[in-house]
Amino acid sequence: MSPEGPHRALAGSIQKRLSPGFALDVQVSAPAGITIVFGESGSGKTTLLRCLAGLDRPDAGRIVVGERVLFDSPSGCNVSARDRGVGFVFQQLALFPHLSVRDNIRYGLHRLSPEVRAERTRAVAESFRIDHLLDRKPSAVSGGERQRTALARALVTDPDLLLLDEPLSALDHATQSRIMADLRAWNTAHAIPILYVTHAHREVFALGERVMVLDAGRVLAEGTTHDVMEAPAHEPLAQLAGFENFFDGAVVARRPDAGTMQCRLAQAGIPLEVPLSHATEGEAVRIAIRAGDILLANQEPRGLSARNILRGRVRSLTREGPTVRADVDAGAAFAVHLTPGACESLRLEEADEVWLIIKTHSCRLVEPSGALS
Amino acid sequence: MSPEGPHRALAGSIQKRLSPGFALDVQVSAPAGITIVFGESGSGKTTLLRCLAGLDRPDAGRIVVGERVLFDSPSGCNVSARDRGVGFVFQQLALFPHLSVRDNIRYGLHRLSPEVRAERTRAVAESFRIDHLLDRKPSAVSGGERQRTALARALVTDPDLLLLDEPLSALDHATQSRIMADLRAWNTAHAIPILYVTHAHREVFALGERVMVLDAGRVLAEGTTHDVMEAPAHEPLAQLAGFENFFDGAVVARRPDAGTMQCRLAQAGIPLEVPLSHATEGEAVRIAIRAGDILLANQEPRGLSARNILRGRVRSLTREGPTVRADVDAGAAFAVHLTPGACESLRLEEADEVWLIIKTHSCRLVEPSGALS
Amino acid sequence: MDYSAILLSVKLAAVVAAILLGVGLPIAYWLTFSRWRWKFLAEAVVALPLVLPPTVLGFYVLVAIGARSPVGRLWTSWTGHGLAFTFEGLVIASVLYSLPFAVQPIAAAFSQVDASLIEASSTLGASERRTFFRIILPLSLEGVIAGAVLAFAHTIGEFGVVLMVGGNLPGATRTVSIAIYDSVQALDYAAANRTALLLLAFSFVVLALVYGLRRKPLVAI
Amino acid sequence: MDYSAILLSVKLAAVVAAILLGVGLPIAYWLTFSRWRWKFLAEAVVALPLVLPPTVLGFYVLVAIGARSPVGRLWTSWTGHGLAFTFEGLVIASVLYSLPFAVQPIAAAFSQVDASLIEASSTLGASERRTFFRIILPLSLEGVIAGAVLAFAHTIGEFGVVLMVGGNLPGATRTVSIAIYDSVQALDYAAANRTALLLLAFSFVVLALVYGLRRKPLVAI
Amino acid sequence: AGTPAAAQQIAVAAAADLQAVFPEVAARFERETGRKVALTFGSSGNFFAQVQNGAPFDLFFSADIEYPRRLQAAGLAESGSLYEYATGRLVLWSRKDSGIDAARGLMILADPRVRRVAIANPEHAPYGRAAVAALRHETVYDAVRGKLVLGENISQAAQFAQSGNADAGILALSLALMPALRDTGTVYRIPDAFYPPIVQGAVVLAASRQKEAARQFLRFVERPDIQQLMREYGFAPAADLR
Ligand SMILES: Nc1ncnc2c1ncn2[C@@H]1O[C@H](COP(=O)(O)OP(=O)(O)OP(=O)(O)O)[C@@H](O)[C@H]1O
Ligand SMILES: Nc1ncnc2c1ncn2[C@@H]1O[C@H](COP(=O)(O)OP(=O)(O)OP(=O)(O)O)[C@@H](O)[C@H]1O
Ligand SMILES: [Mg+2]
Ligand SMILES: [Mg+2]
């Protein structure tokens, strides 16, 4: 029996109306492994997790983990939160204020022998680097330390399903990376479904094999991290996935043999070769390009396979975290990401003339925002 | 009177022992504008903010905003929190659970006329996109919506000093960017000192003109974002600032006229040209290089000004958020960041032979960890 | 049936409960938030009136407010009549006796209010007063209701203190509890049962209204 | 001085407070967390014993558990002696009378516990019981102490119910409150003062210990 | 009450106005017979209700003969044991510093300086009924009615007067003779003819397990020396008025 087998998977369909303006209506399926739940603030991520954990009761639906039915509205089955075997890290942590960090962590281990409890508590506290805080109350540790405590408390119970609501948001990158490594190792050892809510692209790519994107209570997209984040079907999804450039255009010519189409951007009539789609000639299309997928050159490139080469001028250069963002006017406004190293080796300055190099397959055809909902 | 003048600046020195293992002991000075407070989890950021806000009483020190002394231990002066005119966004939000979002926001406006209150509340709610939630209780809105409410509640009071403890941690990037833009605009209009705690490099670069880095209760570094994040003096600081490559080496030859030194890495004896320092010949040095500052080429580069060109082999390629991380073995192990576009245009694959191009000035000499404390 | 006695009792209980809220809230506030080292002694003192039998407490109050005491003389010089055997006297005695019932649940509720909300309020420029009325009090509502209900119900039922200080004057100090007691003493059990039943029914309605109409319990964030 | 009466009172108050915790905690729990629509009626009923004058309540209890009642007869057939005029009888009556003092502050405290902590406990596999004892109860400690103190002190001081149900039998049911009452009735004020002072001093020490030793107020996160 | 030790002891429920004299009576009885007497003082109305519900008393000395009579009729008291052991007497009492001289008789109560007059509650206390009768007899009742404050029992009425909150009180002689009142007030003995006799009756209770000892105590109280003692404490022998 492979631990990755469907017998441990989560499958569910959940409907829940919270207010006249918001209803969750999703199909969720997650195999063993980390599934990232992604979506803007207020899209229903926490609500989904609460329904799965048995803290909110869906209006209708069915939740199954492995062979075990946790909720089924037709039959009225509704396993209580405490019997679901679900580990939950709350967005607001919900640490027990009167218990020490140690007692918080071992709270869920009451069925085990004292030695096992102590050993497991010690091990998880060490791996989350909170072993020096074990005797303090949550009010006497820092925000990030609290978050690690909450995570340790949920992981240590060996749940059948793990629900993490932005578990690393209050941590610095180094600590985040360490805990993500721990979590990946834990995941390999336990092979249970893990739903991991986050807003950080960093965490999406570092942890998730699969992503599920929510928008206004519905599943906007679902699949492997690569499929969802690299080839988003809709503009909202593309925005969430970090695409910065969106253009309106029209199909000029289809080249089915080459698998490409020639388009013309509405702005300045810029020609752009994009991958083939079902769009017919003359049809309007929306094109998304990630800022990191555009290459910059300070002299006209020659002999390149890339078919889209646009001349432009640097408007501004801004440092943004680990990358540099160049805003380039090439008829239309393009945002381009470079590494600081590349920026320096190109000796880029504002107002410099540059060439943008865009691979055909970096241009994604997406449904525009309006087409949704 | 320029609004940027020192008359509105924050200046303070604070000593506070929290536990036998932790004491805050910092000099803090912040002009009008956003100063990022950066530091790993548990380094004392929240404690610093609490002391400034008057919620914790320092053991000793002095706090002045503009001409106004808020705290002075020798003279026993200690202005109460409510009279400090400080806006505080708590890491745990501390929204009033029994008040609607609207009443939370206008809580601090009780001295104003009803019309002004209503107008200001409306305006800030709109700009933070929570105007549709105004009548709900905090328990009935999402985590990110709560965070926006807390931020709105603090900003709307027009404080003399703004203290933000990870105010955007629960928000998606798009919302974050929107609020950061609002905050920058607000900052321009109000010109007060803002201390902004965050772990996210993204926010550091997007918002901060100045950075103050804390480590174990002390100021590790302070200055403009560029100086602190690009030229870190210590290895811990370099780690926080996102440097990924650290090497032990020794000075082989000093070239004061060229402003460089020739070094040799302890591992595999790799030669590396670095900027001149006070280190004497034969002295051990520690060298830090940011993964984004290293360029990759798939053929030996020629005629480049960069003096350090190392041959290596790609060990692995991993997607990390908006960038691709290549681990390259060039005698020593190097981490290199590329944009996905660059990665594709180089047609990089694992096990490929590559050349690393490292500018002399991308190599920073740092004090090793041990030298600190 | 003695309706005037019922009316009098309700009036007394309402006045006492109102005064106890006025007096009990600041006392409870001080007991909860003061950092005085010996505060716990004050807490013990607040509970002390309870351990005396009501008639005995009433007797001491009677002596304390009597014509020969400074308090009594002062009152007489102001109002022209003594405090004993008046409604005002009843109120004073009942307030004293029921003080712990109001203070204790309220103080307990205050101490459960999340300290960070109080901090948030102060950074928003709120005075202690504003913080109290806008944050602490509403979040302690259950405890305040408990205190008020205990004070009210207890004053309705109390008769030892009332008898001692009131002197059983029909219409002025003869409360329903005394009326029922008198009926029992006079072996008129039927009358006692009737009045008791009426009192129970009335009190039940009042309490049910209080509990039914109060806001839903709040959930903290 | 009547030391045996003091001892008896303390014993009675301790037993009653203990029983009231045992009975009051589940009742308060139900009152707080039940989702029954008509719960507020039950809340009103819990406060009702208070509105009856103690002697009258005592009279009804006496009738209910006396020699002629089914309860009294059943008890006699079990134990060989009656329930009224025994320590056990006193306990029953006092528990009934002091029930609201225990239940109300405790229920108020329960309702202030952050619901998300209860949710967290349940996702950690804790039974309702475990959640109650490990989370709800400790976080409501102040309210529970308030309830226990009110119940204890009130039982020490109560004399109407005790007099009626206990019959003031020296050594068996003559509590210190009755002893003081007797002294006052006999116009022996000196004796009353002595005993009252001793009682006050003793109660003060007990209460100060309770308040002084309890854990610091907790700050929720 | 089943242990042999307890069997030696007679449990006596005694009206509150006996609080001064009965400890002495019981002590003498013990000295003579070696039997202990456990005295419980209280309101006669309460005792009546308690006896009906099985109170473990052997003897009941009521302040009002009505209660024992009813108990006998209900079969709760030994038939034929009813004994009128004493008669209560009324006095008018006033504090010396009140400026009112009680010795001037009940008429003084009509004086406007007298604002409060304490009596026991006439609804259920025999002394209260007697006080009202005496006032009526002296035709001051209508003038005094509005000044009356009622004690639950005669003791409480005494406390009202003694604490100065009432300007005068119509009290039991037995109380007025106690040091607390005797030394601080002026007294007027209200003539017996002004009010119907306050006849106090005692019975042996039917539930008693030591009726013989109970009867013995009852007979002891009848003895002339004890009746003399009662007289010293302010009670008239029942026979005096019959
Ligand atoms: N009340 C307290 N008593 C003792 N130690 C405390 C107390 N509060 C905080 N600490 C400790 O002081 C240090 C600094 O805490 P602080 O909350 O200021 O950190 P921080 O920089 O805000 O961290 P984070 O990013 O995790 O929020 C931590 O090590 C913490 O454990
Ligand atoms: N109890 C409630 N009653 C009504 N509406 C609610 C309630 N709780 C949440 N909502 C609304 O439902 C939507 C989804 O909330 P949810 O907490 O699931 O969002 P989320 O995806 O977790 O957001 P975030 O990233 O900000 O935490 C939000 O618009 C919120 O305002
Ligand atoms: Mg959420
Ligand atoms: Mg912090």
Side-chain angles (χ1 to χ4, degrees), chain A residues 133 136 139-145 148 170, chain B residues 18-19 22 39-48 91 165-166 199:
Chain A
L133 309 170
R136 289 207 216 141
S139 59
V141 307
S142 81
E145 288 158 355
R148 284 177 268 167
Chain B
L18 279 186
S19 69
F22 181 86
E40 47 163 31
S41 174
S43 56
K45 307 180 293 295
T46 299
T47 308
L48 169 63
Q91 194 167 11
D165 205 348
E166 308 195 25
H199 289 119

Side-chain angles (χ1 to χ4, degrees), chain C residues 50 52-55 97-98 101 149-162 177 199-200, chain D residues 12 16-17 19-20 23 27 45-62 88-105 147 150-165 177:
Chain C
L50 275 182
L52 287 180
T55 26
Y97 187 48
S98 291
F101 299 123
V149 162
L150 287 180
F152 181 87
H154 188 254
T155 304
I156 293 260
E158 174 40 34
F159 103 113
V161 174
V162 166
S177 58
L199 177 63
L200 284 175
Chain D
L12 177 66
V16 167
I19 293 181
L20 277 179
V23 178
I27 295 181
V45 167
V46 166
L48 272 191
L50 276 182
V51 304
L52 286 180
T55 23
V56 174
L57 183 76
F59 172 71
Y60 288 131
V61 172
L62 183 63
E88 291 82 354
L90 283 195
V91 168
I92 292 181
S94 302
V95 162
L96 254 175
Y97 187 47
S98 293
L99 187 65
F101 299 123
V103 169
Q104 303 260 351
L150 288 180
F152 181 87
H154 188 253
T155 304
I156 293 262
E158 174 36 37
F159 98 112
V161 174
V162 166
L163 184 68
M164 208 62 199
V165 176
S177 57

Side-chain angles (χ1 to χ4, degrees), chain A residues 46 91 165-166, chain B residues 142-143:
Chain A
T46 298
Q91 195 167 7
D165 204 349
E166 308 194 26
Chain B
S142 82

